[in-house]
Amino acid sequence: MKWIIDTDPGIDDAAAIITFLAYRGEDVLGITTVHGNVGIEHTTKNALRLVELMGMDIPVYKGLTQPLLQPPATATAFHGSDGFGDAHLPDPTRTVACGHAVDFIIDQVHRHAGDICLLTLGPLSNIAVALAKDRSITREIREIYMMAGTCRGRGNTTAASEFNVYTDPEAAAIVFASGVPITVVPWETCVDTMFGPDVVEEIRKIETTVGRTFAKAMEFAVKKTLASTGREGVVLCDLLAACAAIDPSVVLESEKVLMRVETGGVYSRGFTMVDGRPNRGVQPNAVLCTGCDRSKIASMFLAALGHKTN
Ligand code: RIB
Ligand code: CA
């Protein structure tokens, strides 16, 4: 199976990418960046930093600079103005690949038809445009593993909406309605699987360059989590989606449901509707992950942080 990671790094994206590359790096065709946590220039620079940090020759393609309809939103309050906790990490020496992320996705899906999955960690703008530009890829993408949306209507960006969907609801609606099978890790499951101070301390102890670099960026998010919730620890949402894609056994509880995205509404724009009602002739389009194995995910992540670049 081949993979493309679509991402808006982002501290939790960094955790996801480090882990996915440590376990599946040889199967990753490329990383595509998108607006999101911070602007596209920062998300692209951070993606280049991560492939360089992991010592892997994986191309990074720049994607959409803004959502389909609304102006871009950012999450600098949690990720810092540079998207990596304002840790002032050294600039990458790698450069972005030529060509647009959307064209790279379309081209690689055709080349690996039926044997390619996407791991999406940010707003779904690139994926939506790829689907709109060449509808035939809907039949060739095996599955999309994504961190997106909510399962009980408890949003993080608005009361009803999670950031990746909130920032581009039209794009999410296109992807959810495309017919491509999706496995969704929603916001509430990420909060339920929050790393406590014990895991944070384990991360801080790792002596590798990968571990020290991530820990430096993570501190910003740990401080913000304590300040905003009073809880010690950190929620690394995207890491759950990456681990579910690497080893589905980390998903302890899931259900097949129909998921749709609300694009109207004053309070509900960006809400992900979950219809799991039995015997209603509902055709599920998503595996919704409602419970994950925190200790297994922590072990996978700590092992990945121990990755030594030769
Ligand atoms: O709501 C959390 C999601 O939005 C994560 O993917 C985080 O990185 C941001 O993109
Ligand atoms: Ca993200």
Side-chain angles (χ1 to χ4, degrees), residues 93-117:
T93 57
R94 304 272 181 94
T95 53
V96 70
C98 294
H100 195 280
V102 168
D103 297 322
F104 173 73
I105 290 167
I106 294 169
D107 175 62
Q108 293 300 314
V109 169
H110 287 324
R111 286 172 191 266
H112 302 275
D115 188 38
I116 184 165
C117 286

Side-chain angles (χ1 to χ4, degrees), residues 1-4 26-30 104-118 137 139-143:
M1 185 66 66
K2 295 299 179 189
W3 293 83
I4 292 174
E26 70 281 1
D27 295 328
V28 176
L29 298 168
F104 173 73
I105 290 167
I106 294 169
D107 175 62
Q108 293 300 314
V109 169
H110 287 324
R111 286 172 191 266
H112 302 275
D115 188 38
I116 184 165
C117 286
L118 308 182
I137 64 174
R139 298 188 297 276
E140 298 175 344
I141 299 171
R142 174 76 70 89
E143 183 149 13

Side-chain angles (χ1 to χ4, degrees), residues 23 192-196 198-199 202 239-240 243 247 249-252 291-303:
Y23 283 86
D192 295 345
T193 317
M194 176 178 179
F195 284 164
D198 54 337
V199 177
E202 289 302 312
L239 178 61
L240 274 69
C243 290
D247 177 358
S249 73
V250 309
V251 179
L252 300 177
C292 285
D293 186 333
R294 181 189 301 107
S295 58
K296 189 163 193 174
I297 290 168
S299 308
M300 291 171 71
F301 183 39
L302 292 169

Side-chain angles (χ1 to χ4, degrees), residues 8 13 37 121 238:
D8 63 332
D13 301 69
N37 286 316
L121 308 173
D238 295 338

